[in-house]
Amino acid sequence: ATSAAFETAKEEFLTKQAAISDRAAGHMGLALFYTDLGRTEEAKAAYQTAKRVEPEFVPARINLAEMLYSENRPKEAEREFRDAVEAAMLEGEEGLARDALARFLIRMKRYDEGIEELRQATELMPNHAQTHYFYGVALNSTGRFPEAVPYLEKAIQLDPYNLEYLTGVASIMRDAGKSNVALKYAREALDLQPGNPQLQQLVRSLGG
């Protein structure tokens, strides 16, 4: 019965997506559906259709690039990421595309290129906390702590209740010898999760 219900729901879904086949979002919905089923070739075909229907639709390009990367096809993935940036520039929405390209380049250990893309992404998306945080972490990881600080602090300013940012910045500040600043962020993290033993230990280790 469950299988029959799934098949019915699947057919309804596919019918609905076909009804909006002139829009890239419909084909992206199909691609995500096929990905969940492990049918990667059909998913890639749906992404390619999305690109053909709406060349400026950036999410489909980024998802296709990620799929190619996961298949260990980095050259093709990079071409898709860069095409996404070009398409986004035409639409005036290039921040997220540059962020995605940056993360790919950093995974490929091309740190200088990745950091430059992140710099541009933060300028294009001044209120996007995740991009600021990732840029700050990347700068710090390449020995550029003083440059990293304003971006790390901006990420917390934009998203003050984000546990990942608070604990990450606390650890970075501690490692840089900025114990007082580290303690401030560690306490803010502990306020969010008072019973967290790791945070309790972090605060204690900083003298709090």
Side-chain angles (χ1 to χ4, degrees):
T2 303
S3 178
F6 174 77
E7 288 300 323
T8 300
K10 182 177 78 170
E11 291 307 318
E12 288 177 0
F13 177 82
L14 294 174
T15 301
K16 286 178 183 175
Q17 297 305 312
I20 53 171
S21 61
D22 61 328
R23 299 302 304 273
H27 295 287
M28 182 163 162
L30 278 176
L32 294 169
F33 179 73
Y34 287 133
T35 300
D36 286 343
L37 294 179
R39 292 157 62 175
T40 55
E41 291 308 312
E42 287 165 287
K44 279 185 286 188
Y47 282 131
Q48 294 288 3
T49 303
K51 284 169 50 183
R52 191 165 61 251
V53 171
E54 285 186 75
E56 71 279 11
F57 188 70
V58 173
R61 292 179 177 275
I62 290 174
N63 282 18
L64 176 59
E66 289 288 353
M67 183 170 277
L68 291 167
Y69 173 77
S70 71
E71 293 180 344
N72 197 30
R73 297 161 67 181
K75 287 185 179 178
E76 293 168 79
E78 181 172 353
R79 185 165 62 246
E80 289 295 339
F81 278 119
R82 293 193 181 280
D83 284 350
V85 171
E86 286 191 25
M89 287 171 71
L90 295 174
E91 292 295 298
E93 299 176 347
E94 63 183 293
L96 286 174
R98 288 196 180 279
D99 182 290
L101 172 60
R103 291 166 190 266
F104 164 77
L105 291 168
I106 286 170
R107 280 178 288 177
M108 297 298 293
K109 297 182 169 53
R110 291 160 60 182
Y111 300 114
D112 289 346
E113 292 174 80
I115 284 174
E116 172 56 23
E117 292 294 338
L118 277 173
R119 183 191 66 75
Q120 294 185 57
T122 59
E123 290 182 0
L124 291 161
M125 300 189 297
N127 297 314
H128 197 262
Q130 189 180 60
T131 301
H132 281 75
Y133 179 71
F134 192 54
Y135 184 40
V137 169
L139 286 170
N140 181 66
S141 298
T142 53
R144 297 162 66 179
F145 170 76
E147 294 173 70
V149 171
Y151 294 96
L152 296 170
E153 292 180 337
K154 180 70 178 291
I156 292 175
Q157 177 190 334
L158 291 167
D159 192 358
Y161 303 111
N162 188 304
L163 196 63
E164 178 190 359
Y165 301 168
L166 290 168
T167 54
V169 175
S171 297
I172 289 171
M173 293 294 179
R174 177 197 61 200
D175 295 345
K178 308 289 185 182
S179 298
N180 289 340
V181 182
L183 180 58
K184 170 181 177 290
Y185 290 126
R187 280 177 171 158
E188 289 177 18
L190 187 59
D191 285 343
L192 295 178
Q193 282 194 359
N196 187 310
Q198 285 83 15
L199 292 176
Q200 291 170 347
Q201 175 57 36
L202 178 60
V203 169
R204 280 197 298 271
S205 72
L206 291 164

